[in-house]
Amino acid sequence: MESSPSFASLAHEALVDSDFDSPNSRRLFDFQNSLTCIKVTPPFRDYPKLRSPSRMGLEGKPNLKIVEGEGGYILEDVPHFTDYLPDLPNFPNPLQDNPSYSAVRQYFVNVDDTVPQKIVVQKNSPRGLHFRRAGPRQRVYFESDDVLACIVTCGGLCPGLNTVIRELVCGLSHMYGVSRILGIEGGYRGFYARNTIPLTPKFVNDIHKRGGTILGTSRGGHDTIKIVDNIEDRGVNQVYIIGGDGTQKGASVIFEEIRRRGLQVAVVGIPKTIDNDIAVIDKSFGFDSAVEEAQRAINAAHVESESVENGIGLVKLMGRYSGFIAMYATLASRDVDCCLIPESPFYLEGKGGLFEYIEKRLKENGHMVIVVAEGAGQDLIAESLRSMHNEDPSGNKLLLDVGLWLSQKIKDHFARIQKMVMNLKYIDPTYMIRAIPSNASDNVYCTLLAHSAIHGAMAGYTGFTVGLVNGRHTYIPFHRVTEKRNRVVITDRMWARLLSSTNQPSFLSAKDIEEAKKAEPQPTQLLDEQKSLEDGCH
């Protein structure tokens, strides 16, 4: 009697058949988020034959592409041209003839390679959620001479923007022989309101040594129809969009409109935020450079504070919603006595408050350094101004200047108690940090992000952003990096290390700690996600 094939072997077959090396092989799962879903369980013989329309769901919810495997394995995949253009031809990857890469053993990514979102598990844990591993595929969906790529930078400045631009241009040119690349000036509105800049390897050769972006940038200006009309009119078929979570939301809408029109245009996001607050990914480019540059301001504050009687050096760093720069700069410096971030509430007056701690520290050391993230303490100062709910053109909340406010509050407190002389120096290096070129580690990271984006676009993937997940470069669906922000977990060991380094009080009440614990992802989150998928499938 012939034995039936195992679940693992069938799952392997299905995954191998699904890596887009043939034009019609990609039809895994395409179900409406929170509306409909298709669940495939063994046997998988007819698995590649499944077809499901790729279109926006009700209320603008994106389609999810889910692959389930043995042991609770879940792959949240990214869109591909063959989802809505099933008869596209594909071609051998020109990298196989590139002398720089032909000597590399197994340079092309294995069709089965995925990257887990969570790597700390227990022995009985499900394998959990995975993302598709980034890298070059053996087959591509563009011929080099047919490619017209464009690059746009949006939002605020960040170290590394010019490096990403340079590596996109040089990677497209040197790896895939692409000769037509345009730079879109001035952010999203540049698609329809500004001229373009032809970009060549020679033109971008030295731009990584400069801060800012040679293409210019802006906030807002997103008009989906105008942008896609311009892309279609110009004949652009690869769009590389560099920006933060708001920019990535805009890129997602552009992709959906392109898919609705049935265009063979790859839309690829490269996440950029100096605050490191983009979800899922390990870190964003420019973050290391920002932390390194922040050391200069902290060192200056330390010199100023210890040079006078009862000196206080107050440094405001970036961190609109997340305090990662302040936390890591504090840990790296070891000269900081107090670090205040948006995730950790604090109070000024009374027992255990900030003023009491400042007095204690000055009596012990004669000086102190305070680092405050720009988003910290907003609830304390909201009543003094009425701009709490104003927003910039990108939809970001306009913050009140906590640095100036806190400086004045400290001065007023010491003037009122008249117990000791106090000298405060306030340093705000925000725009100096944003404008620097990226350091060595960020330059390497920017190169890898750019190359991952290029490989994905050439292989026919679209509607995704690239990012490092647990040390591996991956392709992540847009909605995953825009649905929430990455924030410091104040009940985590890293924040405990900071408290140990500064010797500051937590400023938290028992109620605050309990609420922070409730906000943490629980160890059973993946089990719950899997159960909800199963419950929703009939």
Side-chain angles (χ1 to χ4, degrees):
M1 180 177 177
E2 184 179 353
S3 61
S4 60
S6 69
F7 179 95
S9 65
L10 291 171
H12 174 79
E13 175 184 333
L15 285 173
V16 169
D17 286 344
S18 70
D19 203 55
F20 304 120
D21 287 345
S22 61
N24 296 321
S25 61
R26 186 60 165 192
R27 277 294 189 271
L28 297 180
F29 296 94
D30 191 1
F31 67 83
Q32 301 300 122
N33 182 17
S34 303
L35 296 173
T36 62
C37 68
I38 301 172
K39 181 183 178 185
V40 174
T41 54
F44 279 2
R45 282 298 174 206
D46 296 329
Y47 184 73
K49 297 179 182 178
L50 288 175
R51 296 294 183 268
S52 182
S54 294
R55 61 181 184 270
M56 282 295 286
L58 296 177
E59 300 176 2
K61 293 184 179 180
N63 290 341
L64 297 183
K65 298 179 64 176
I66 302 295
V67 179
E68 293 184 16
E70 193 173 26
Y73 173 94
I74 301 173
L75 168 64
E76 186 164 349
D77 213 347
V78 297
H80 191 269
F81 286 149
T82 53
D83 294 340
Y84 60 97
L85 299 171
D87 299 319
L88 286 179
N90 59 82
F91 316 95
N93 194 322
L95 279 175
Q96 65 188 16
D97 302 318
N98 189 314
S100 298
Y101 297 93
S102 58
V104 179
R105 185 179 179 184
Q106 294 182 337
Y107 183 70
F108 295 110
V109 171
N110 189 291
V111 294
D112 292 332
D113 286 356
T114 59
V115 179
Q117 184 181 17
K118 296 184 182 295
I119 56 175
V120 179
V121 297
Q122 289 76 44
K123 63 180 181 179
N124 296 323
S125 299
R127 293 176 63 190
L129 186 67
H130 289 61
F131 299 109
R132 186 165 290 278
R133 184 184 176 190
R137 269 56 179 175
Q138 291 184 341
R139 311 291 294 183
V140 296
Y141 282 77
F142 292 98
E143 291 193 280
S144 301
D145 293 339
D146 295 335
V147 173
L148 174 56
C150 74
I151 304 168
V152 63
T153 54
C154 305
L157 295 183
C158 174
L161 281 170
N162 277 336
T163 305
V164 174
I165 295 169
R166 181 190 189 277
E167 298 309 317
L168 284 171
V169 174
C170 292
L172 283 164
S173 178
H174 299 326
M175 291 192 297
Y176 288 98
V178 174
S179 59
R180 298 186 300 155
I181 308 168
L182 299 176
I184 306 297
E185 288 188 304
Y188 275 135
R189 62 171 50 90
F191 277 101
Y192 54 85
R194 300 287 292 276
N195 294 324
T196 59
I197 306 173
L199 299 176
T200 64
K202 183 177 180 180
F203 182 81
V204 301
N205 185 53
D206 293 325
I207 65 172
H208 62 293
K209 300 174 183 177
R210 291 182 253 159
T213 164
I214 62 165
L215 300 179
T217 185
S218 66
R219 298 188 184 275
H222 189 281
D223 187 317
T224 305
I225 301 302
K226 286 184 178 180
I227 290 171
V228 178
D229 284 347
N230 187 273
I231 290 170
E232 189 172 7
D233 291 344
R234 291 180 184 273
V236 170
N237 49 24
Q238 291 186 12
V239 182
Y240 297 93
I241 301 174
I242 310 167
D245 58 344
T247 301
Q248 301 304 311
K249 288 176 183 176
S252 178
V253 176
I254 290 171
F255 158 69
E256 293 296 346
E257 177 62 20
I258 284 172
R259 182 167 64 175
R260 188 188 68 79
R261 299 187 188 188
L263 305 177
Q264 188 186 352
V265 179
V267 180
V268 183
I270 300 175
K272 173 232 67 174
T273 167
I274 201 169
D275 294 346
N276 199 40
D277 61 357
I278 290 182
V280 180
I281 64 175
D282 294 352
K283 66 174 181 178
S284 51
F285 74 83
F287 175 70
D288 284 351
S289 301
V291 171
E292 186 175 302
E293 186 68 15
Q295 299 300 295
R296 298 177 184 271
I298 293 173
N299 290 340
H302 184 245
V303 170
E304 287 283 354
S305 65
E306 69 176 357
S307 299
V308 296
E309 181 183 3
N310 291 329
I312 298 176
L314 177 61
V315 180
K316 185 181 79 171
L317 297 177
M318 288 153 294
R320 180 180 294 272
Y321 303 106
S322 304
F324 286 102
I325 292 179
M327 180 174 72
Y328 276 81
T330 294
L331 283 167
S333 169
R334 299 294 175 175
D335 287 330
V336 179
D337 299 285
C338 185
C339 178
L340 306 172
I341 62 173
E343 296 88 339
S344 182
F346 66 95
Y347 56 98
L348 302 179
E349 309 277 357
K351 185 173 178 58
L354 180 61
F355 290 157
E356 181 184 81
Y357 175 63
I358 292 175
E359 289 182 38
K360 175 176 176 290
R361 204 64 174 166
L362 290 179
K363 289 175 182 177
E364 292 174 347
N365 291 348
H367 68 276
M368 74 177 299
V369 175
I370 302 172
V371 169
V372 58
E374 62 180 326
Q378 293 298 306
D379 56 330
L380 296 178
I381 54 177
E383 295 180 1
S384 61
L385 294 173
R386 296 184 180 180
S387 58
M388 189 65 179
H389 301 294
N390 290 348
E391 296 180 344
D392 66 17
S394 293
N396 297 314
K397 185 169 64 178
L398 290 176
L399 301 179
L400 311 175
D401 193 328
V402 67
L404 290 174
W405 174 83
L406 188 57
S407 297
Q408 192 59 50
K409 284 292 184 180
I410 294 172
K411 290 177 181 178
D412 292 345
H413 172 75
F414 279 90
R416 186 171 62 251
I417 64 173
Q418 296 181 347
K419 287 183 179 179
M420 61 177 70
V421 177
M422 186 276 301
N423 292 282
L424 186 144
K425 299 294 188 292
Y426 172 53
I427 299 174
D428 181 357
T430 301
Y431 291 100
M432 294 174 62
I433 293 174
R434 287 175 14 138
I436 64 169
S438 52
N439 65 11
S441 65
D442 269 327
N443 275 338
V444 174
Y445 187 31
C446 290
T447 299
L448 297 178
L449 286 173
H451 287 187
S452 295
I454 294 167
H455 293 318
M458 293 298 295
Y461 295 104
T462 180
F464 68 92
T465 189
V466 295
L468 198 67
V469 176
N470 296 319
R472 294 289 183 177
H473 287 266
T474 61
Y475 299 143
I476 307 167
F478 277 132
H479 79 94
R480 272 287 176 179
V481 297
T482 60
E483 63 187 1
K484 63 180 181 180
R485 287 187 172 88
N486 187 29
R487 307 192 76 199
V488 174
V489 179
I490 59 174
T491 54
D492 184 67
R493 282 191 294 273
M494 186 59 79
W495 185 245
R497 292 184 185 106
L498 180 138
L499 297 179
S500 175
S501 170
T502 62
N503 291 314
Q504 71 188 69
S506 69
F507 302 116
L508 294 176
S509 65
K511 181 181 178 182
D512 292 328
I513 295 174
E514 194 61 31
E515 289 179 353
K517 287 181 178 179
K518 289 179 180 178
E520 284 184 76
Q522 297 302 314
T524 58
Q525 183 179 10
L526 287 176
L527 284 169
D528 294 340
E529 288 178 358
Q530 184 185 17
K531 186 177 185 301
S532 67
L533 284 172
E534 293 172 352
D535 292 344
C537 297
H538 301 284

